[in-house]
Amino acid sequence: MKLARFSVAAAVVAGIVLAGTASAATPTDTATKPAASPEALSHFDDGSFETPKVKAGTFQELTSGQSIGPWQVTSGSVDLIGAGFWQAAEGDQSVDLNGRGPGTVSQTFTTVPGTTYTVTYSLAGNTAGAPAVKTGKALIDGQNFQDFSFDITGKTSTTMGYVTRQFTFVATNPSTTLAFASTTPGTGHGPVIDDVKVRACQPCPHC
Ligand SMILES: [Ca+2]
C-alpha cells in the first residue's frame, strides 16, 4: 500500500510540474495572468492624502460632504495638512481628524467577497494642543474594527513620532467602506493619519 500511495503521489507531483512547465512556456497563458490578478486587489487610492495639494505651510479645513481626492468627509470636520506644516508620514500631506472638532473620513473601494484584506496606516497626533492623548477608531462598513490612541508627549511638529497600526477584515460585499473617525472631543487638535494602505491578503497571516 505504501508503495502504491507513493506512486500516486509521485504521479501527481509529476503532473503538477508538467502543468507548470506547460503553463510557463505558453505566452498566451502568461499574458492572461496579470489581467486576472488585479481582480483580487482593491482599488483603494491615495491613502497618503496627497491630492488635492494644500498650499505649503498651511492647512485646509474640510467639513462633512466635502472630499479629499477619493476620500469623503462624512462627519464633523477634518484638516488637510499641507507640506511643511508638520511632518508627514509619507509624501507631503496628512490629515488631522479634528478640524474644529472631531471628524470622519471614509473611502469606498472595490473588494472581492470572501477575500481577507489588511489595512495599515500611520498614526500620530496634532502636537499644538491638548489633550495629550488623541483617540479615534477605524471602521469597516460602519463597524468599529480598531480603536486607536496616540500620546503626543515629547513629540513636535518636526518629530511627530508616527507609529504603524494594522488590522484585517474579510470583505463581504463587492465594495467596502473604510473610515477613520476621531473620538477626541471638543478640540481642533486630534489624531493624525497618513499612508493608509489596503492590500489583499492571501494567505494570512503572512502579510
Ligand atoms: Ca501623505
Side-chain angles (χ1 to χ4, degrees):
M1 276 303 283
K2 285 180 180 176
L3 278 174
R5 284 183 185 172
F6 177 80
S7 297
V8 170
V12 169
V13 169
I16 291 169
V17 170
L18 282 172
T21 304
S23 176
T26 308
T28 304
D29 187 58
T30 305
T32 58
K33 284 183 179 174
S37 182
E39 292 177 10
L41 303 174
S42 74
H43 293 168
F44 183 79
D45 194 20
D46 193 19
S48 192
F49 305 104
E50 297 300 306
T51 57
K53 286 293 182 190
V54 173
K55 184 179 178 183
T58 70
F59 64 87
Q60 181 180 354
E61 182 189 3
L62 296 151
T63 58
S64 183
Q66 293 187 290
S67 62
I68 304 172
W71 296 89
Q72 298 289 318
V73 181
T74 52
S75 77
S77 65
V78 304
D79 289 331
L80 179 58
I81 309 298
F85 190 82
W86 64 49
Q87 180 189 27
E90 198 281 333
D92 293 326
Q93 303 192 151
S94 57
V95 163
D96 182 340
L97 290 174
N98 281 50
R100 297 185 189 184
T104 303
V105 293
S106 71
Q107 180 175 163
T108 300
F109 50 98
T110 58
T111 46
V112 177
T115 297
T116 300
Y117 293 86
T118 299
V119 178
T120 59
Y121 58 99
S122 292
L123 172 69
N126 184 335
T127 59
V133 178
K134 322 296 187 184
T135 59
K137 55 189 178 180
L139 307 97
I140 295 294
D141 292 336
Q143 183 181 347
N144 188 8
F145 263 63
Q146 186 171 64
D147 291 318
F148 57 77
S149 64
F150 186 90
D151 188 341
I152 61 165
T153 303
K155 306 296 190 294
T156 70
S157 62
T158 53
T159 54
M160 295 285 281
Y162 283 97
V163 294
T164 301
R165 291 285 182 266
Q166 176 179 309
F167 65 94
T168 62
F169 70 92
V170 179
T172 55
N173 296 301
S175 69
T176 297
T177 299
L178 166 64
F180 292 93
S182 171
T183 55
T184 307
T187 168
H189 310 119
V192 174
I193 60 168
D194 194 8
D195 200 19
V196 183
K197 293 174 181 168
V198 179
R199 288 170 296 185
C201 175
Q202 291 180 320
C204 275
H206 299 294
C207 56

PDB file of all heavy atoms in Angstrom, residues 75-111:
ATOM      1  N   SER A  75     -18.413  63.114   8.570  1.00  0.00           N
ATOM      2  CA  SER A  75     -18.994  63.748   9.759  1.00  0.00           C
ATOM      3  C   SER A  75     -18.019  64.784  10.279  1.00  0.00           C
ATOM      4  O   SER A  75     -16.808  64.681  10.067  1.00  0.00           O
ATOM      5  CB  SER A  75     -19.316  62.714  10.852  1.00  0.00           C
ATOM      6  OG  SER A  75     -18.146  62.320  11.514  1.00  0.00           O
ATOM      7  N   GLY A  76     -18.561  65.796  10.971  1.00  0.00           N
ATOM      8  CA  GLY A  76     -17.712  66.810  11.593  1.00  0.00           C
ATOM      9  C   GLY A  76     -16.825  67.518  10.600  1.00  0.00           C
ATOM     10  O   GLY A  76     -17.232  67.802   9.463  1.00  0.00           O
ATOM     11  N   SER A  77     -15.603  67.768  11.006  1.00  0.00           N
ATOM     12  CA  SER A  77     -14.643  68.395  10.103  1.00  0.00           C
ATOM     13  C   SER A  77     -13.239  67.876  10.403  1.00  0.00           C
ATOM     14  O   SER A  77     -12.945  67.427  11.516  1.00  0.00           O
ATOM     15  CB  SER A  77     -14.678  69.920  10.238  1.00  0.00           C
ATOM     16  OG  SER A  77     -14.258  70.323  11.523  1.00  0.00           O
ATOM     17  N   VAL A  78     -12.408  67.920   9.376  1.00  0.00           N
ATOM     18  CA  VAL A  78     -11.012  67.491   9.488  1.00  0.00           C
ATOM     19  C   VAL A  78     -10.140  68.568   8.842  1.00  0.00           C
ATOM     20  O   VAL A  78     -10.652  69.444   8.133  1.00  0.00           O
ATOM     21  CB  VAL A  78     -10.770  66.130   8.797  1.00  0.00           C
ATOM     22  CG1 VAL A  78     -11.698  65.061   9.360  1.00  0.00           C
ATOM     23  CG2 VAL A  78     -10.929  66.247   7.280  1.00  0.00           C
ATOM     24  N   ASP A  79      -8.849  68.499   9.092  1.00  0.00           N
ATOM     25  CA  ASP A  79      -7.906  69.412   8.454  1.00  0.00           C
ATOM     26  C   ASP A  79      -6.963  68.630   7.548  1.00  0.00           C
ATOM     27  O   ASP A  79      -6.322  67.668   7.991  1.00  0.00           O
ATOM     28  CB  ASP A  79      -7.082  70.160   9.505  1.00  0.00           C
ATOM     29  CG  ASP A  79      -7.895  71.191  10.269  1.00  0.00           C
ATOM     30  OD1 ASP A  79      -8.865  71.732   9.693  1.00  0.00           O
ATOM     31  OD2 ASP A  79      -7.561  71.459  11.440  1.00  0.00           O
ATOM     32  N   LEU A  80      -6.889  69.046   6.289  1.00  0.00           N
ATOM     33  CA  LEU A  80      -5.892  68.503   5.363  1.00  0.00           C
ATOM     34  C   LEU A  80      -4.638  69.362   5.527  1.00  0.00           C
ATOM     35  O   LEU A  80      -4.675  70.579   5.303  1.00  0.00           O
ATOM     36  CB  LEU A  80      -6.412  68.552   3.927  1.00  0.00           C
ATOM     37  CG  LEU A  80      -5.469  68.044   2.833  1.00  0.00           C
ATOM     38  CD1 LEU A  80      -5.058  66.592   3.063  1.00  0.00           C
ATOM     39  CD2 LEU A  80      -6.120  68.204   1.450  1.00  0.00           C
ATOM     40  N   ILE A  81      -3.564  68.722   5.937  1.00  0.00           N
ATOM     41  CA  ILE A  81      -2.351  69.439   6.328  1.00  0.00           C
ATOM     42  C   ILE A  81      -1.372  69.515   5.165  1.00  0.00           C
ATOM     43  O   ILE A  81      -0.977  68.486   4.613  1.00  0.00           O
ATOM     44  CB  ILE A  81      -1.669  68.738   7.527  1.00  0.00           C
ATOM     45  CG1 ILE A  81      -2.684  68.490   8.656  1.00  0.00           C
ATOM     46  CG2 ILE A  81      -0.466  69.532   8.008  1.00  0.00           C
ATOM     47  CD1 ILE A  81      -3.292  69.743   9.241  1.00  0.00           C
ATOM     48  N   GLY A  82      -0.993  70.728   4.804  1.00  0.00           N
ATOM     49  CA  GLY A  82      -0.090  70.933   3.677  1.00  0.00           C
ATOM     50  C   GLY A  82       1.367  70.649   4.008  1.00  0.00           C
ATOM     51  O   GLY A  82       1.747  70.495   5.183  1.00  0.00           O
ATOM     52  N   ALA A  83       2.166  70.585   2.956  1.00  0.00           N
ATOM     53  CA  ALA A  83       3.599  70.296   3.095  1.00  0.00           C
ATOM     54  C   ALA A  83       4.258  71.269   4.065  1.00  0.00           C
ATOM     55  O   ALA A  83       4.039  72.478   3.990  1.00  0.00           O
ATOM     56  CB  ALA A  83       4.282  70.375   1.735  1.00  0.00           C
ATOM     57  N   GLY A  84       5.056  70.739   4.972  1.00  0.00           N
ATOM     58  CA  GLY A  84       5.853  71.572   5.865  1.00  0.00           C
ATOM     59  C   GLY A  84       5.133  72.123   7.067  1.00  0.00           C
ATOM     60  O   GLY A  84       5.772  72.674   7.974  1.00  0.00           O
ATOM     61  N   PHE A  85       3.792  71.991   7.105  1.00  0.00           N
ATOM     62  CA  PHE A  85       3.086  72.484   8.290  1.00  0.00           C
ATOM     63  C   PHE A  85       3.490  71.644   9.487  1.00  0.00           C
ATOM     64  O   PHE A  85       3.741  72.140  10.567  1.00  0.00           O
ATOM     65  CB  PHE A  85       1.570  72.436   8.070  1.00  0.00           C
ATOM     66  CG  PHE A  85       0.802  73.146   9.147  1.00  0.00           C
ATOM     67  CD1 PHE A  85       0.641  74.522   9.115  1.00  0.00           C
ATOM     68  CD2 PHE A  85       0.250  72.435  10.204  1.00  0.00           C
ATOM     69  CE1 PHE A  85      -0.056  75.188  10.121  1.00  0.00           C
ATOM     70  CE2 PHE A  85      -0.459  73.091  11.214  1.00  0.00           C
ATOM     71  CZ  PHE A  85      -0.611  74.461  11.169  1.00  0.00           C
ATOM     72  N   TRP A  86       3.485  70.337   9.267  1.00  0.00           N
ATOM     73  CA  TRP A  86       4.170  69.417  10.169  1.00  0.00           C
ATOM     74  C   TRP A  86       4.618  68.208   9.363  1.00  0.00           C
ATOM     75  O   TRP A  86       4.248  68.058   8.192  1.00  0.00           O
ATOM     76  CB  TRP A  86       3.330  69.048  11.390  1.00  0.00           C
ATOM     77  CG  TRP A  86       2.044  68.284  11.150  1.00  0.00           C
ATOM     78  CD1 TRP A  86       1.869  67.160  10.387  1.00  0.00           C
ATOM     79  CD2 TRP A  86       0.767  68.582  11.723  1.00  0.00           C
ATOM     80  NE1 TRP A  86       0.563  66.751  10.455  1.00  0.00           N
ATOM     81  CE2 TRP A  86      -0.134  67.608  11.272  1.00  0.00           C
ATOM     82  CE3 TRP A  86       0.302  69.576  12.589  1.00  0.00           C
ATOM     83  CZ2 TRP A  86      -1.480  67.593  11.636  1.00  0.00           C
ATOM     84  CZ3 TRP A  86      -1.042  69.560  12.958  1.00  0.00           C
ATOM     85  CH2 TRP A  86      -1.918  68.579  12.476  1.00  0.00           C
ATOM     86  N   GLN A  87       5.377  67.374   9.993  1.00  0.00           N
ATOM     87  CA  GLN A  87       5.951  66.201   9.330  1.00  0.00           C
ATOM     88  C   GLN A  87       4.846  65.235   8.882  1.00  0.00           C
ATOM     89  O   GLN A  87       3.959  64.895   9.674  1.00  0.00           O
ATOM     90  CB  GLN A  87       6.893  65.501  10.318  1.00  0.00           C
ATOM     91  CG  GLN A  87       7.559  64.255   9.779  1.00  0.00           C
ATOM     92  CD  GLN A  87       8.295  63.513  10.897  1.00  0.00           C
ATOM     93  OE1 GLN A  87       7.936  63.609  12.058  1.00  0.00           O
ATOM     94  NE2 GLN A  87       9.322  62.773  10.514  1.00  0.00           N
ATOM     95  N   ALA A  88       4.917  64.804   7.633  1.00  0.00           N
ATOM     96  CA  ALA A  88       4.010  63.762   7.145  1.00  0.00           C
ATOM     97  C   ALA A  88       4.699  62.405   7.305  1.00  0.00           C
ATOM     98  O   ALA A  88       5.920  62.320   7.401  1.00  0.00           O
ATOM     99  CB  ALA A  88       3.676  64.000   5.673  1.00  0.00           C
ATOM    100  N   ALA A  89       3.892  61.359   7.334  1.00  0.00           N
ATOM    101  CA  ALA A  89       4.489  60.021   7.422  1.00  0.00           C
ATOM    102  C   ALA A  89       4.984  59.566   6.054  1.00  0.00           C
ATOM    103  O   ALA A  89       5.961  58.829   5.939  1.00  0.00           O
ATOM    104  CB  ALA A  89       3.474  59.019   7.969  1.00  0.00           C
ATOM    105  N   GLU A  90       4.256  60.009   5.017  1.00  0.00           N
ATOM    106  CA  GLU A  90       4.608  59.635   3.646  1.00  0.00           C
ATOM    107  C   GLU A  90       4.236  60.805   2.754  1.00  0.00           C
ATOM    108  O   GLU A  90       3.174  61.412   2.917  1.00  0.00           O
ATOM    109  CB  GLU A  90       3.846  58.366   3.233  1.00  0.00           C
ATOM    110  CG  GLU A  90       4.411  57.638   2.026  1.00  0.00           C
ATOM    111  CD  GLU A  90       4.047  58.252   0.692  1.00  0.00           C
ATOM    112  OE1 GLU A  90       2.985  58.918   0.608  1.00  0.00           O
ATOM    113  OE2 GLU A  90       4.815  58.102  -0.267  1.00  0.00           O
ATOM    114  N   GLY A  91       5.085  61.146   1.803  1.00  0.00           N
ATOM    115  CA  GLY A  91       4.793  62.278   0.928  1.00  0.00           C
ATOM    116  C   GLY A  91       4.827  63.583   1.716  1.00  0.00           C
ATOM    117  O   GLY A  91       5.640  63.739   2.638  1.00  0.00           O
ATOM    118  N   ASP A  92       3.925  64.503   1.365  1.00  0.00           N
ATOM    119  CA  ASP A  92       3.951  65.840   1.968  1.00  0.00           C
ATOM    120  C   ASP A  92       2.787  66.116   2.909  1.00  0.00           C
ATOM    121  O   ASP A  92       2.900  66.932   3.813  1.00  0.00           O
ATOM    122  CB  ASP A  92       3.912  66.892   0.852  1.00  0.00           C
ATOM    123  CG  ASP A  92       5.173  66.895   0.006  1.00  0.00           C
ATOM    124  OD1 ASP A  92       6.264  66.639   0.566  1.00  0.00           O
ATOM    125  OD2 ASP A  92       5.072  67.148  -1.209  1.00  0.00           O
ATOM    126  N   GLN A  93       1.650  65.470   2.652  1.00  0.00           N
ATOM    127  CA  GLN A  93       0.425  65.857   3.366  1.00  0.00           C
ATOM    128  C   GLN A  93      -0.074  64.753   4.302  1.00  0.00           C
ATOM    129  O   GLN A  93       0.238  63.579   4.144  1.00  0.00           O
ATOM    130  CB  GLN A  93      -0.672  66.204   2.337  1.00  0.00           C
ATOM    131  CG  GLN A  93      -0.250  67.317   1.375  1.00  0.00           C
ATOM    132  CD  GLN A  93      -1.402  67.889   0.545  1.00  0.00           C
ATOM    133  OE1 GLN A  93      -1.360  69.045   0.178  1.00  0.00           O
ATOM    134  NE2 GLN A  93      -2.420  67.090   0.261  1.00  0.00           N
ATOM    135  N   SER A  94      -0.893  65.169   5.250  1.00  0.00           N
ATOM    136  CA  SER A  94      -1.501  64.238   6.201  1.00  0.00           C
ATOM    137  C   SER A  94      -2.842  64.824   6.619  1.00  0.00           C
ATOM    138  O   SER A  94      -3.213  65.911   6.178  1.00  0.00           O
ATOM    139  CB  SER A  94      -0.580  64.037   7.418  1.00  0.00           C
ATOM    140  OG  SER A  94      -0.313  65.289   8.037  1.00  0.00           O
ATOM    141  N   VAL A  95      -3.571  64.118   7.456  1.00  0.00           N
ATOM    142  CA  VAL A  95      -4.892  64.591   7.888  1.00  0.00           C
ATOM    143  C   VAL A  95      -4.997  64.596   9.411  1.00  0.00           C
ATOM    144  O   VAL A  95      -4.649  63.601  10.069  1.00  0.00           O
ATOM    145  CB  VAL A  95      -6.010  63.704   7.290  1.00  0.00           C
ATOM    146  CG1 VAL A  95      -7.336  63.906   8.035  1.00  0.00           C
ATOM    147  CG2 VAL A  95      -6.217  64.040   5.812  1.00  0.00           C
ATOM    148  N   ASP A  96      -5.440  65.723   9.940  1.00  0.00           N
ATOM    149  CA  ASP A  96      -5.807  65.824  11.350  1.00  0.00           C
ATOM    150  C   ASP A  96      -7.303  65.514  11.421  1.00  0.00           C
ATOM    151  O   ASP A  96      -8.113  66.223  10.806  1.00  0.00           O
ATOM    152  CB  ASP A  96      -5.524  67.252  11.851  1.00  0.00           C
ATOM    153  CG  ASP A  96      -5.840  67.428  13.337  1.00  0.00           C
ATOM    154  OD1 ASP A  96      -6.602  66.613  13.898  1.00  0.00           O
ATOM    155  OD2 ASP A  96      -5.331  68.410  13.917  1.00  0.00           O
ATOM    156  N   LEU A  97      -7.651  64.462  12.117  1.00  0.00           N
ATOM    157  CA  LEU A  97      -9.059  64.039  12.160  1.00  0.00           C
ATOM    158  C   LEU A  97      -9.937  64.976  12.978  1.00  0.00           C
ATOM    159  O   LEU A  97     -11.158  64.774  13.027  1.00  0.00           O
ATOM    160  CB  LEU A  97      -9.168  62.602  12.680  1.00  0.00           C
ATOM    161  CG  LEU A  97      -8.656  61.512  11.725  1.00  0.00           C
ATOM    162  CD1 LEU A  97      -8.682  60.146  12.410  1.00  0.00           C
ATOM    163  CD2 LEU A  97      -9.488  61.470  10.432  1.00  0.00           C
ATOM    164  N   ASN A  98      -9.330  65.981  13.607  1.00  0.00           N
ATOM    165  CA  ASN A  98     -10.123  67.048  14.214  1.00  0.00           C
ATOM    166  C   ASN A  98      -9.920  68.327  13.425  1.00  0.00           C
ATOM    167  O   ASN A  98      -8.791  68.830  13.318  1.00  0.00           O
ATOM    168  CB  ASN A  98      -9.701  67.291  15.665  1.00  0.00           C
ATOM    169  CG  ASN A  98     -10.290  66.270  16.618  1.00  0.00           C
ATOM    170  OD1 ASN A  98     -10.190  65.072  16.362  1.00  0.00           O
ATOM    171  ND2 ASN A  98     -10.884  66.730  17.702  1.00  0.00           N
ATOM    172  N   GLY A  99     -10.987  68.833  12.826  1.00  0.00           N
ATOM    173  CA  GLY A  99     -10.945  70.154  12.226  1.00  0.00           C
ATOM    174  C   GLY A  99     -11.231  71.145  13.347  1.00  0.00           C
ATOM    175  O   GLY A  99     -10.363  71.459  14.155  1.00  0.00           O
ATOM    176  N   ARG A 100     -12.479  71.602  13.423  1.00  0.00           N
ATOM    177  CA  ARG A 100     -12.879  72.411  14.596  1.00  0.00           C
ATOM    178  C   ARG A 100     -13.303  71.504  15.740  1.00  0.00           C
ATOM    179  O   ARG A 100     -13.442  71.921  16.877  1.00  0.00           O
ATOM    180  CB  ARG A 100     -14.016  73.345  14.214  1.00  0.00           C
ATOM    181  CG  ARG A 100     -13.588  74.344  13.163  1.00  0.00           C
ATOM    182  CD  ARG A 100     -14.656  75.362  12.853  1.00  0.00           C
ATOM    183  NE  ARG A 100     -14.277  76.171  11.701  1.00  0.00           N
ATOM    184  CZ  ARG A 100     -14.982  77.200  11.252  1.00  0.00           C
ATOM    185  NH1 ARG A 100     -16.112  77.541  11.848  1.00  0.00           N
ATOM    186  NH2 ARG A 100     -14.567  77.883  10.207  1.00  0.00           N
ATOM    187  N   GLY A 101     -13.574  70.278  15.403  1.00  0.00           N
ATOM    188  CA  GLY A 101     -13.952  69.251  16.364  1.00  0.00           C
ATOM    189  C   GLY A 101     -13.729  67.912  15.696  1.00  0.00           C
ATOM    190  O   GLY A 101     -13.161  67.851  14.595  1.00  0.00           O
ATOM    191  N   PRO A 102     -14.146  66.837  16.327  1.00  0.00           N
ATOM    192  CA  PRO A 102     -13.895  65.511  15.744  1.00  0.00           C
ATOM    193  C   PRO A 102     -14.577  65.314  14.397  1.00  0.00           C
ATOM    194  O   PRO A 102     -15.715  65.746  14.192  1.00  0.00           O
ATOM    195  CB  PRO A 102     -14.450  64.546  16.799  1.00  0.00           C
ATOM    196  CG  PRO A 102     -15.399  65.362  17.611  1.00  0.00           C
ATOM    197  CD  PRO A 102     -14.854  66.758  17.611  1.00  0.00           C
ATOM    198  N   GLY A 103     -13.875  64.677  13.487  1.00  0.00           N
ATOM    199  CA  GLY A 103     -14.408  64.407  12.157  1.00  0.00           C
ATOM    200  C   GLY A 103     -14.141  62.981  11.727  1.00  0.00           C
ATOM    201  O   GLY A 103     -13.451  62.219  12.413  1.00  0.00           O
ATOM    202  N   THR A 104     -14.709  62.629  10.569  1.00  0.00           N
ATOM    203  CA  THR A 104     -14.539  61.288   9.999  1.00  0.00           C
ATOM    204  C   THR A 104     -14.225  61.406   8.513  1.00  0.00           C
ATOM    205  O   THR A 104     -14.846  62.205   7.811  1.00  0.00           O
ATOM    206  CB  THR A 104     -15.835  60.460  10.157  1.00  0.00           C
ATOM    207  OG1 THR A 104     -16.188  60.386  11.534  1.00  0.00           O
ATOM    208  CG2 THR A 104     -15.662  59.042   9.602  1.00  0.00           C
ATOM    209  N   VAL A 105     -13.264  60.611   8.051  1.00  0.00           N
ATOM    210  CA  VAL A 105     -13.020  60.493   6.608  1.00  0.00           C
ATOM    211  C   VAL A 105     -13.253  59.041   6.207  1.00  0.00           C
ATOM    212  O   VAL A 105     -12.946  58.113   6.971  1.00  0.00           O
ATOM    213  CB  VAL A 105     -11.594  60.918   6.199  1.00  0.00           C
ATOM    214  CG1 VAL A 105     -11.396  62.410   6.407  1.00  0.00           C
ATOM    215  CG2 VAL A 105     -10.533  60.123   6.941  1.00  0.00           C
ATOM    216  N   SER A 106     -13.799  58.837   5.010  1.00  0.00           N
ATOM    217  CA  SER A 106     -14.035  57.473   4.554  1.00  0.00           C
ATOM    218  C   SER A 106     -13.767  57.361   3.065  1.00  0.00           C
ATOM    219  O   SER A 106     -13.825  58.347   2.321  1.00  0.00           O
ATOM    220  CB  SER A 106     -15.466  57.036   4.868  1.00  0.00           C
ATOM    221  OG  SER A 106     -16.381  57.708   4.043  1.00  0.00           O
ATOM    222  N   GLN A 107     -13.461  56.149   2.661  1.00  0.00           N
ATOM    223  CA  GLN A 107     -13.274  55.852   1.239  1.00  0.00           C
ATOM    224  C   GLN A 107     -13.920  54.497   0.937  1.00  0.00           C
ATOM    225  O   GLN A 107     -13.739  53.534   1.678  1.00  0.00           O
ATOM    226  CB  GLN A 107     -11.784  55.803   0.869  1.00  0.00           C
ATOM    227  CG  GLN A 107     -11.578  55.504  -0.610  1.00  0.00           C
ATOM    228  CD  GLN A 107     -10.131  55.544  -1.082  1.00  0.00           C
ATOM    229  OE1 GLN A 107      -9.813  55.033  -2.151  1.00  0.00           O
ATOM    230  NE2 GLN A 107      -9.258  56.176  -0.313  1.00  0.00           N
ATOM    231  N   THR A 108     -14.679  54.456  -0.155  1.00  0.00           N
ATOM    232  CA  THR A 108     -15.299  53.212  -0.600  1.00  0.00           C
ATOM    233  C   THR A 108     -14.525  52.678  -1.793  1.00  0.00           C
ATOM    234  O   THR A 108     -14.217  53.431  -2.721  1.00  0.00           O
ATOM    235  CB  THR A 108     -16.773  53.447  -0.976  1.00  0.00           C
ATOM    236  OG1 THR A 108     -17.463  53.945   0.175  1.00  0.00           O
ATOM    237  CG2 THR A 108     -17.440  52.157  -1.438  1.00  0.00           C
ATOM    238  N   PHE A 109     -14.193  51.403  -1.758  1.00  0.00           N
ATOM    239  CA  PHE A 109     -13.367  50.811  -2.804  1.00  0.00           C
ATOM    240  C   PHE A 109     -13.863  49.410  -3.111  1.00  0.00           C
ATOM    241  O   PHE A 109     -14.580  48.798  -2.319  1.00  0.00           O
ATOM    242  CB  PHE A 109     -11.887  50.799  -2.387  1.00  0.00           C
ATOM    243  CG  PHE A 109     -11.647  50.226  -1.025  1.00  0.00           C
ATOM    244  CD1 PHE A 109     -11.247  48.905  -0.882  1.00  0.00           C
ATOM    245  CD2 PHE A 109     -11.845  50.981   0.109  1.00  0.00           C
ATOM    246  CE1 PHE A 109     -11.037  48.355   0.374  1.00  0.00           C
ATOM    247  CE2 PHE A 109     -11.651  50.445   1.375  1.00  0.00           C
ATOM    248  CZ  PHE A 109     -11.250  49.136   1.512  1.00  0.00           C
ATOM    249  N   THR A 110     -13.469  48.903  -4.277  1.00  0.00           N
ATOM    250  CA  THR A 110     -13.947  47.580  -4.699  1.00  0.00           C
ATOM    251  C   THR A 110     -13.218  46.486  -3.929  1.00  0.00           C
ATOM    252  O   THR A 110     -12.027  46.583  -3.645  1.00  0.00           O
ATOM    253  CB  THR A 110     -13.729  47.367  -6.201  1.00  0.00           C
ATOM    254  OG1 THR A 110     -12.344  47.512  -6.484  1.00  0.00           O
ATOM    255  CG2 THR A 110     -14.532  48.357  -7.011  1.00  0.00           C
ATOM    256  N   THR A 111     -13.965  45.455  -3.593  1.00  0.00           N
ATOM    257  CA  THR A 111     -13.401  44.313  -2.881  1.00  0.00           C
ATOM    258  C   THR A 111     -13.999  43.031  -3.457  1.00  0.00           C
ATOM    259  O   THR A 111     -15.049  43.067  -4.103  1.00  0.00           O
ATOM    260  CB  THR A 111     -13.698  44.386  -1.382  1.00  0.00           C
ATOM    261  OG1 THR A 111     -15.077  44.725  -1.181  1.00  0.00           O
ATOM    262  CG2 THR A 111     -12.830  45.432  -0.687  1.00  0.00           C
TER     263      THR A 111
END
